[in-house]
Amino acid sequence: MRQLPETDRDAIRLAQDPKFPRWLEQITATGGCSHPVHLSGSTTTLDGTTGEILHHYDTRDEPGERLLVRCRNRRATVCPTCSRLHAGDTFHLVRAGLLGGKKVPPSVRHRPRLFVTLTAPSFGAVHRAEEVCRPRRGGGTCEHGRPLGCGAVHAPDLPIVGQPLCPECYDYTGHVLWHAHASKLWDRFVIDVRRRLASSAGLVQSRFAHHARLSFARVAEYQKRAAVHVHAVVRLDGPAGADDEPPAWATTELLTHAVRASARRVHVHTPHTLAVGELVLSWGDQVDARPLHADGDGPDDEAVAAYVAKYVTKGASETGAGLDHTLTTWAGIATAPVSTHVRTLMRACWHLGGLPEYEPLRLRAWTHTLGYRGHILTKSRAYSTTYAALRAERAHHMGHTDTPDAITEHNWRYIGSGHTPGAALIAAGVAEDLAESRRLAVEVGREGRRL
C-alpha cells in the first residue's frame, strides 16, 4: 500500500468504508461535482395542523456525518458537471424568451426581436487573425519605435492574436475604466432605447411603460483583446410583458433604428482624478442588430440560445482574459498564469483601485476580471423565467417537493468543500459515466426518430 500513489491509497480507503455505497450515492446525486459543498444539520417536516412529524432527516447517519451538495459553479474549468447543468438552465431561460415555454406564451416569437452585439471601443491597435493583420502601405513606426502595421496572417489560436502592436501606446487605463462602467453604459443604453421608441411613436417618454415594454437577456463575452462585448436578445412586448401583445406601431424596423441610434449616442463620464482626468466612455463603432424572424429568415432562435448558454460556462482560462479566482495582493498578479497583455491590465486595475476617487468601483476586488463588475448573464424581469424557477421545476421533477400545509424546519451549517484526492478520482469517474449515459441516450433518441 505504501508504494501506491496517495490518490490510489485514498480511493482504496474510501472503498473499504462500510458506508461507501451511501457515499457513492451522494456523489452520484451531485452528478460527480468536482467541488461539492459539505453540510451538516437536519431537516424536519411537521404537519401544519397537528404538529405531527412527517419527515426527519439528519446527517448524523451519513458518511462523515455530512451531506454533499453541488457547488453550482458555472465555469467548466472549475466544475464541468455543474457548468453543464447551468448551461442547460441558461439555454431554457433564453429559449423561453425567444420561442415561449416555461410559462411564457409562444406568441413571443412573432414579436419584434433582435440579436444585438455591442462592442468595446478601441484602446489601441492589436493583432488580428485570419486576414492580413494590420496592412499599412506606408510603414512607419510609433513614438516608441514599434511598427504601426503588421503584414502577417495569424492563425486564430496563436498567442499574439489580441495583443497590442505597441503596449506603450495601448490605453490600459481607459480599458480598465471602460470595464468598470460597462454595466452602467448598458443601463443608459436600455433607457435611451425606450426614449427613442417613445419619441418615434409620438409618445411622451414618461408614458412609454403604459404602451410597451422592452425585454432583454444579455451575456458579456471577452474578446481576444481581453475587452468585454455584449450579446443581447432584445424584444418588444406590451405593457404587461410577455403575456401582452405590443402596440401596432412596435415594429422590428423601429426597434432596430432605436438600438443603433442609442448605441452611438449614450456615454458615461468617469469620476475626475488628477492622475487620469475625466474620461467619456461609449460603445465601440461596431454595432450589430440582426432581426430574429419566426419564419427562419435570420439567426436561428435555438442557435442563439445555445450560443449564450455555451458562453456563460466558459472560464477565464478558456477566454484568455483574467482569472477564475480573486486576487488579494499585488504580488499575486506577477505569478498569475496570464498573458503579458492581461497582466498589464491587472496591474492597471490594481493601481487605479488605489485612487480614492475610484474607491466605489472596487477595482482591486475585480482585478481578476480586469475591472469588469457585471454579471455574465443578466435579463429584464419580464423576458422569461428565472434560474430559481428552473431549479424548482427540476426539484419537482425529481420528487423533491414540499408537502402542502406543512412546516419545514431547517438547521444547516457549512463544514467544508471539495474532495480528497481519492474522492476526486472516484467523482471524476462517476461524472464520466453519467456523461457517457447521456450521450448514449441522445444517440438512441436519434435512432428512434430515424425509424
Side-chain angles (χ1 to χ4, degrees):
M1 284 286 287
R2 293 180 180 179
Q3 303 301 320
L4 294 175
E6 179 187 358
T7 299
D8 293 344
R9 294 201 307 270
D10 188 44
I12 293 172
R13 177 187 62 80
L14 288 168
Q16 291 176 339
D17 192 301
K19 291 188 176 181
F20 176 75
R22 173 55 187 160
W23 178 84
L24 194 59
E25 286 180 7
Q26 287 198 30
I27 293 295
T28 304
T30 66
C33 174
S34 302
H35 200 74
V37 176
H38 300 201
L39 300 177
S40 175
S42 63
T43 297
T44 303
T45 303
L46 308 172
D47 187 293
T49 304
T50 64
E52 177 187 358
I53 297 178
L54 302 177
H55 176 74
H56 178 73
Y57 170 81
D58 198 305
T59 57
R60 285 181 294 184
D61 298 326
E62 296 286 6
E65 298 187 359
R66 61 188 62 194
L67 177 68
L68 306 184
V69 297
R70 285 181 177 270
C71 68
R72 290 186 178 179
N73 196 296
R74 68 170 180 84
R75 296 177 177 86
T77 51
V78 176
C79 182
T81 59
C82 288
S83 71
R84 181 188 176 278
L85 197 64
H86 189 83
D89 286 346
T90 301
F91 173 80
H92 287 292
L93 185 150
V94 177
R95 184 184 184 279
L98 289 168
L99 299 173
K102 310 298 179 184
K103 298 184 179 179
V104 178
S107 59
V108 294
R109 68 178 309 185
H110 301 289
R111 311 266 175 89
R113 302 172 305 154
L114 300 177
F115 184 53
V116 178
T117 300
L118 303 176
T119 61
S122 174
F123 304 107
V126 299
H127 291 278
R128 298 181 295 197
E130 297 182 337
E131 57 184 18
V132 177
C133 178
R134 291 280 178 179
R136 191 176 180 87
R137 184 175 300 175
T141 59
C142 69
E143 60 181 293
H144 305 102
R146 289 186 173 85
L148 294 172
C150 175
V153 178
H154 305 303
D157 56 349
L158 286 180
I160 196 173
V161 176
Q163 306 301 303
L165 270 67
C166 176
E168 283 81 8
C169 291
Y170 195 86
D171 184 9
Y172 285 99
T173 296
H175 190 145
V176 167
L177 291 177
W178 191 91
H179 271 179
H181 291 84
S183 294
K184 181 181 288 188
L185 194 60
W186 170 262
D187 292 340
R188 297 252 178 112
F189 165 75
V190 171
I191 291 171
D192 198 71
V193 170
R194 294 192 186 106
R195 289 174 176 171
R196 289 184 175 274
L197 288 171
S199 298
S200 299
L203 301 173
V204 177
Q205 293 178 1
S206 61
R207 301 288 297 175
F208 175 78
H210 296 274
H211 296 267
R213 180 189 289 259
L214 189 70
S215 301
F216 65 85
R218 74 168 178 93
V219 63
E221 178 180 4
Y222 283 89
Q223 297 170 295
K224 286 286 188 178
R225 58 184 174 131
V228 164
H229 65 176
V230 171
H231 298 296
V233 176
V234 180
R235 190 185 71 220
L236 262 180
D237 298 322
D243 294 321
D244 198 3
E245 290 297 321
W249 55 259
T251 64
T252 301
E253 292 73 20
L254 193 70
L255 180 59
T256 302
H257 174 75
V259 163
R260 291 187 179 278
S262 295
R264 291 191 296 267
R265 180 179 183 275
V266 297
H267 59 271
V268 173
H269 291 265
T270 66
H272 181 274
T273 69
L274 293 177
V276 178
E278 181 185 63
L279 303 184
V280 180
L281 307 175
S282 60
W283 296 108
D285 294 332
Q286 295 180 334
V287 178
D288 189 20
R290 287 179 285 175
L292 297 169
H293 298 298
D295 57 9
D297 182 17
D300 180 76
D301 291 337
E302 297 219 3
V304 169
Y307 174 81
V308 173
K310 179 180 180 180
Y311 184 75
V312 297
T313 64
K314 287 187 177 181
S317 62
E318 292 178 286
T319 61
L323 298 171
D324 289 329
H325 59 272
T326 58
L327 288 168
T328 56
T329 63
W330 169 264
I333 299 175
T335 58
V338 296
S339 68
T340 301
H341 175 53
V342 172
R343 196 183 318 280
T344 307
L345 282 167
M346 289 180 171
R347 285 173 173 157
C349 199
W350 192 274
H351 170 70
L352 293 170
L355 300 179
E357 295 87 350
Y358 295 146
E359 185 177 355
L361 300 178
R362 301 182 64 240
L363 289 172
R364 289 188 174 180
W366 295 100
T367 297
H368 64 297
T369 60
L370 315 183
Y372 180 71
R373 304 184 299 144
H375 293 289
I376 291 297
L377 176 75
T378 57
K379 74 175 191 66
S380 61
R381 183 175 299 177
Y383 175 77
S384 69
T385 185
T386 64
Y387 282 121
L390 291 170
R391 289 166 185 157
E393 184 178 342
R394 182 163 56 249
H396 177 78
H397 176 74
M398 297 175 65
H400 302 159
T401 57
D402 295 329
T403 306
D405 300 325
I407 300 173
T408 303
E409 298 177 352
H410 302 284
N411 181 24
W412 293 97
R413 63 186 181 92
Y414 169 83
I415 58 173
S417 61
H419 284 304
T420 61
L425 179 65
I426 296 172
V430 169
E432 186 176 342
D433 289 344
L434 292 174
E436 180 66 11
S437 297
R438 286 191 295 268
R439 187 188 66 79
L440 292 174
V442 170
E443 289 186 1
V444 170
R446 288 173 179 170
E447 286 295 329
R449 286 192 292 272
R450 293 194 190 103
L451 296 175

